[in-house]
Amino acid sequence: MISYYLENNPSSKGKVSIDEVTQTYKFDYPCESYSDCTEYVIHLSPGLYKFELFGASGGACTNRTSLFMNSDGNCTHREAAFLYGGNAVCRQIVNRGGAGGYISGIIKILHKITAFATIGGKGIHTCTRASANQDSDYYPSNMVKGGYGGGGWAANWYWQPGNNGAGSGGGQTAVMFLQNDLWHRVIVSGGGGGSDNCPAHQTEFMGADDGSGGAGGGFTAQG
């Protein structure tokens, strides 16, 4: 038996889907903003619980997020990610966004306890102003914010119309017990890295100027 609400809005249940037959609760990202959100507060009764966490993908242009890719340019098998609920595919293209990671664990709860769940926000691919290669493009006020849950920020980059933008990193998904802070994290799934600019007609796949973000979860990166 569990109960839950949003930490910054106790009257809201967030976005949770429940399968009463399998007693499964799916906690989705509950906020409109990709970078500014809150945690779920979850009250757990004694019992055996399986946790499955999916990190958020990094920012990239449309249809440019890929499964984990080895150094030889080959991806992990799509079937492996599918077995764990993944939705990413292999895209052997330049300037890819990295898929988020996956992790699971079974935890035995011996007494009533409060958990906090961070659901990672997806990174985005954009620019904040018409400027490139300036020191001010690295000022926090001009950067592209990372996804909620610690996603990395990206420097602003705008070269010309149709050739601009940078992807920020996806946020971690994590579960904490007792307190909502770094030191009480028990299980974490990493977010994917953001990509370089979209147009890349002269960029070689896996070449020196291929600005792709890494996957957050290796073999079972899920997108």
Side-chain angles (χ1 to χ4, degrees), residues 45-222:
S45 297
L48 195 65
Y49 295 86
K50 180 178 181 179
F51 291 81
E52 292 186 289
L53 279 62
F54 298 86
S57 60
C61 289
T62 303
N63 295 326
R64 299 189 80 89
T65 300
S66 177
L67 284 169
F68 174 81
M69 189 170 292
N70 297 308
S71 58
D72 61 4
N74 292 311
C75 296
T76 55
H77 294 295
R78 172 68 183 88
E79 292 76 11
F82 180 77
L83 286 174
Y84 297 97
N87 55 25
V89 298
C90 181
R91 291 193 169 96
Q92 293 172 309
I93 54 177
V94 300
N95 297 355
R96 306 172 305 280
Y102 167 86
I103 192 171
S104 67
I106 296 175
I107 301 176
K108 186 176 184 180
I109 304 297
L110 299 178
H111 52 79
K112 290 183 178 180
I113 196 170
T114 299
F116 300 86
T118 299
I119 310 299
K122 184 181 183 299
I124 66 168
H125 189 282
T126 189
C127 55
T128 62
R129 62 182 194 151
S131 174
N133 302 324
Q134 303 297 314
D135 288 346
S136 54
D137 291 318
Y138 293 84
Y139 293 172
S141 59
N142 295 327
M143 295 178 72
V144 180
K145 293 181 180 180
Y148 186 73
W153 291 30
N156 175 72
W157 196 84
Y158 181 100
W159 187 250
Q160 60 187 20
N163 187 359
N164 56 73
S168 60
Q172 64 168 341
T173 294
V175 174
M176 292 73 68
F177 287 99
L178 299 178
Q179 295 183 39
N180 180 15
D181 61 33
L182 177 66
W183 314 111
H184 289 80
R185 292 189 305 176
V186 173
I187 185 168
V188 183
S189 182
S195 77
D196 201 349
N197 58 306
C198 298
H201 306 298
Q202 298 178 345
T203 302
E204 179 185 0
F205 173 63
M206 302 290 288
D209 195 40
D210 184 349
S212 295
F219 190 65
T220 54
Q222 59 86 36

Side-chain angles (χ1 to χ4, degrees), residues 2 17 31-32 36 59 83 129 157 190 201:
I2 73 172
S17 55
C31 301
E32 295 297 326
D36 184 15
L83 286 174
R129 62 182 194 151
W157 196 84
H201 306 298

